[in-house]
Amino acid sequence: MVLPISLTCSVRFDPTALTGEEKPTQPPDADVISDISETPPERESLRVLLIGSRNGVINTIQTLYRLGFAEVAEWSPLLPAPNPGEVMSILTRYLLTQPPR
């Protein structure tokens, strides 16, 4: 089941929690509060949501990194999911939108 969500969050993420690397690399805006409702009209937000067991979500984030889909640091920290025993992580991407013709 897919649940629609809208989040406002402040992200401070430690990639070593998922990769074991000793020197984390933070994206330049990792400490910036992002509000989806403030997305400029020429950009569209696209969110990818992973929900599952802690190991399942971590393994999927690492697999998507190895496939070149997203950096580990681009995902939100693990958050509690609606179902007990599950966590979730969110990746937000911004796409340029085409002006109306």
Side-chain angles (χ1 to χ4, degrees), residues 50-91:
L50 298 177
I51 299 177
S53 69
R54 184 180 197 287
N55 286 339
V57 171
I58 290 171
N59 288 337
T60 301
I61 290 171
Q62 292 174 342
T63 299
L64 292 172
Y65 167 73
R66 284 192 298 275
L67 292 171
F69 182 76
E71 294 290 324
V72 171
E74 293 179 295
W75 292 87
S76 73
L78 297 179
L79 305 165
N83 295 330
E86 290 186 333
V87 297
M88 61 184 176
S89 186
I90 303 165
L91 169 72

Side-chain angles (χ1 to χ4, degrees), residues 3 8 19 25-26 32-33 38 49 58 61 63 67 74 82:
L3 301 173
T8 300
T19 64
T25 56
Q26 294 268 357
V32 175
I33 295 176
E38 294 178 8
L49 176 63
I58 290 171
I61 290 171
T63 299
L67 292 171
E74 293 179 295

